Amino acid sequence: MSWFLRQAQGRPEAEVVREHARYLRAAGVDRALDALAGPFGLRRFLVAFAARPAGAGRYQVVLTDLVAMPLAAGGGPPPDDPTGERAPELARALGRLHSNMAMGPAWSRGVLGYVRDAKGRTQILPLFDEDSDAAQLDGLPVPPGPGHPLEQPQWARLLATWEHRMQAVQARTSRVRPDWDLWTVEGDLLVLRYDPVPGQQERWQQERRARCHPLGTFSPARGRFQWQTDRRPGGQGLFDGPDLVADWAAAHEVALISAAGLDATWLFAGEFGEDGELLYAAVFEAG
């Protein structure tokens, strides 16, 4: 008899699946998997794990394998984790899961299947003990596309082509005085105002004006970069939609390559709104 059937004890399969899903949510396994999968892109992978004795009747759950293959539409494996925090956090969540299930549907090892489609909908497919021996990547559904623009081969080629120009724009951007007190964009004019005159409204010690071209806005709360220009990198086909799912690093990279493609001098990023939204604009004066 399989591990799952032993836990079911004659109950309907759907009821048992819901029960196990509640265990996963309570332990934060779903959130840890979402973090491992990154903020965007199609995903399809397996994570294997095992509970190992840690002394005094305690156990430590460790990740033992990750199986993934690139998808034809882009994505598939989790992205690189420069912080090195995502895998340990998943192991800690699985440790909580092991403790929570120890007095009920206990297990000593397992595999999690994870699938995310283009709309961000996810499936988590857990298998425990002997049931996990049959886990195969081919057994997971293939998430429907389209894939995320930043995980397409065309994007990788663009980055390689524009790398030096992007570095030059970023270098000049870093030399622009960043402590402006007020900024405005009216049409194609960027105005930066510095150091208000004490007690005199609308008067400033310094003002900087430059020709600009708005590129897009980024909302950290929504995790979205919304285009404000039709002059997008890659030509037709890569960024056809009005926006894309992104974190700050991705939004900045998209804005930077857009500015480089327009032969801009530096990249403006101005905060607005109550939730830290940013307006990106290509600037065409010396920084």
Side-chain angles (χ1 to χ4, degrees):
M1 180 179 292
S2 71
W3 181 92
F4 185 89
L5 290 178
R6 290 198 302 275
Q7 313 314 316
Q9 296 180 345
R11 292 181 295 162
E13 178 180 341
E15 177 185 331
V16 181
V17 168
R18 287 194 296 270
E19 176 186 279
H20 294 167
R22 287 194 294 270
Y23 276 115
L24 292 171
R25 290 193 298 271
V29 173
D30 54 344
R31 297 184 295 276
L33 279 170
D34 289 341
L36 182 69
F40 56 79
L42 303 180
R43 293 291 177 263
R44 182 173 178 256
F45 59 84
L46 296 171
V47 179
F49 53 92
R52 295 177 176 171
R58 295 180 295 107
Y59 288 84
Q60 180 181 9
V61 175
V62 297
L63 307 185
T64 58
D65 200 8
L66 191 150
V67 181
M69 291 290 290
L71 296 168
D80 293 336
D81 176 16
T83 68
E85 297 176 354
R86 296 171 186 167
E89 177 52 38
L90 177 57
R92 288 190 289 270
L94 287 167
R96 294 190 292 271
L97 181 71
H98 184 264
S99 297
N100 293 348
M101 297 176 75
M103 300 306 293
W107 50 265
S108 61
R109 56 192 171 90
V111 170
L112 295 172
Y114 184 90
V115 177
R116 183 171 69 197
D117 68 14
K119 294 184 178 180
R121 297 174 298 199
T122 62
Q123 298 180 60
I124 300 175
L125 308 168
L127 295 170
F128 297 101
D129 285 348
E130 66 268 29
D131 293 0
S132 67
D133 295 336
Q136 292 186 346
L137 188 62
D138 290 345
L140 296 179
V142 177
H148 194 278
L150 303 189
E151 294 187 334
Q152 302 302 310
Q154 185 180 355
W155 174 249
R157 292 194 294 270
L158 276 177
L159 289 176
T161 300
W162 289 97
E163 178 181 8
H164 294 301
R165 177 63 183 161
M166 291 169 67
Q167 290 175 351
V169 173
Q170 182 61 44
R172 284 192 293 269
T173 300
S174 67
R175 294 196 293 268
V176 174
R177 181 180 169 187
D179 58 336
W180 51 77
D181 296 280
L182 180 69
W183 65 266
T184 60
V185 171
E186 298 179 5
D188 63 352
L189 181 66
L190 168 68
V191 181
L192 303 176
R193 296 183 171 96
Y194 298 85
D195 304 327
V197 176
Q200 300 186 47
Q201 294 182 348
E202 304 299 328
R203 293 195 61 191
W204 308 86
Q205 300 286 357
Q206 183 182 354
E207 184 174 281
R208 180 190 185 121
R209 292 172 174 262
R211 187 168 59 89
C212 75
H213 181 79
L215 301 170
T217 58
F218 172 62
S219 169
R222 295 176 55 239
R224 293 271 175 173
F225 179 88
Q226 185 164 350
W227 290 103
Q228 302 294 326
T229 179
D230 292 330
R231 301 170 67 183
R232 305 174 187 179
Q236 189 174 8
L238 185 59
F239 293 113
D240 286 343
D243 61 8
L244 66 151
V245 180
D247 58 4
W248 178 86
H252 185 83
E253 191 171 47
V254 168
L256 187 61
I257 198 172
S258 300
L262 295 176
D263 201 27
T265 310
W266 59 280
L267 176 66
F268 169 77
E271 187 172 328
F272 68 96
E274 298 180 354
D275 295 323
E277 294 97 336
L278 293 173
L279 170 70
Y280 285 102
V283 184
F284 302 96
E285 276 194 6

